[in-house]
Amino acid sequence: MDGKILTQNYQSPCGELILGEYGGKLCLCNWTDELHPGRVERRLRATLKAEMAEGTGEAIGEAAAQLDQYFGGTRTAFHIPLLFAGTPFQQKVWRGLLAVPYGATIPYGTLARRLGQPTAARAVAAAVGANAMSIVVPCHRIVGADGSLTGFGGGMAAKRFLLELENRNRSRMSQTDAK
């Protein structure tokens, strides 16, 4: 193993997250109580050839501060150095998630078309499901073709919470902007 992925838990209003950094970049913001326990962490350890160790660093501290702002309704986007540990296709999908606006939702097929892969909705869905940085890389904004809420690593209650938080804050921000 080449290094350590520093990790620290973060308590959000909709569930506990584990934050991780490697080489000064955030590589993990995942639910401790998740749909597929350990899958994301195993992939990170294998891809980065690193073990996880409890600790903190600048990226974790910044992520925690920005998550506090997000949940407090004062932050709509994250500005943290990110390390995407995945295949080139997965990384392309995760970068595509960053372009989905705060408070908006789009179907997997729309994301696939935006990425120039119009017939790859299922592959896009699998890459979305492999996202290691929930909330920061907003996979919760992706929905089914009919607009219905679909699977989410943190559970459907957390996904609903995040979308309602964003919709509520987007409405509040729009009203403030109009004044």
Side-chain angles (χ1 to χ4, degrees):
M1 295 291 160
D2 295 338
K4 296 226 181 289
I5 301 166
L6 297 177
T7 64
Q8 180 180 0
N9 287 6
Y10 173 87
Q11 187 60 52
S12 85
C14 57
E16 188 175 42
L17 296 160
I18 182 168
L19 304 177
E21 81 171 66
Y22 183 81
K25 294 181 178 182
L26 189 73
C27 63
L28 180 66
C29 180
N30 198 33
W31 305 93
T32 58
D33 184 17
E34 66 170 322
L35 194 59
H36 304 286
R39 182 178 68 178
V40 169
E41 288 85 357
R42 283 190 299 276
R43 191 185 77 241
L44 274 177
R45 285 194 311 268
T47 302
L48 299 175
K49 296 179 177 52
E51 287 300 321
M52 295 191 166
E54 196 169 320
T56 192
E58 196 171 313
I60 288 175
E62 189 58 35
Q66 290 187 30
L67 282 164
D68 286 345
Q69 294 165 353
Y70 170 84
F71 286 113
T74 60
R75 174 170 293 279
T76 61
F78 294 88
H79 303 288
I80 306 162
L82 302 177
L83 175 62
F84 290 122
T87 68
F89 179 76
Q90 288 172 325
Q91 292 180 35
K92 180 179 180 178
V93 171
W94 299 332
R95 284 187 183 87
L97 291 172
L98 293 171
V100 180
Y102 181 88
T105 59
I106 64 168
Y108 294 98
T110 300
L111 180 58
R113 285 189 296 281
R114 287 183 181 179
L115 297 172
Q117 306 277 322
T119 61
R122 287 184 185 204
V124 166
V128 169
N131 175 27
M133 289 181 274
S134 194
I135 305 171
V136 174
V137 178
C139 53
H140 60 278
R141 297 179 189 155
I142 308 302
V143 296
D146 62 357
S148 63
L149 298 188
T150 56
F152 184 63
M156 296 308 288
K159 184 169 187 162
R160 200 171 295 108
F161 178 94
L162 296 170
L163 292 172
E164 288 172 0
L165 172 79
E166 291 185 7
N167 283 324
R168 192 170 49 249
N169 289 332
R170 185 179 62 176
S171 296
R172 184 180 49 79
M173 288 175 203
S174 296
Q175 291 170 357
T176 303
D177 293 343
K179 291 181 182 178

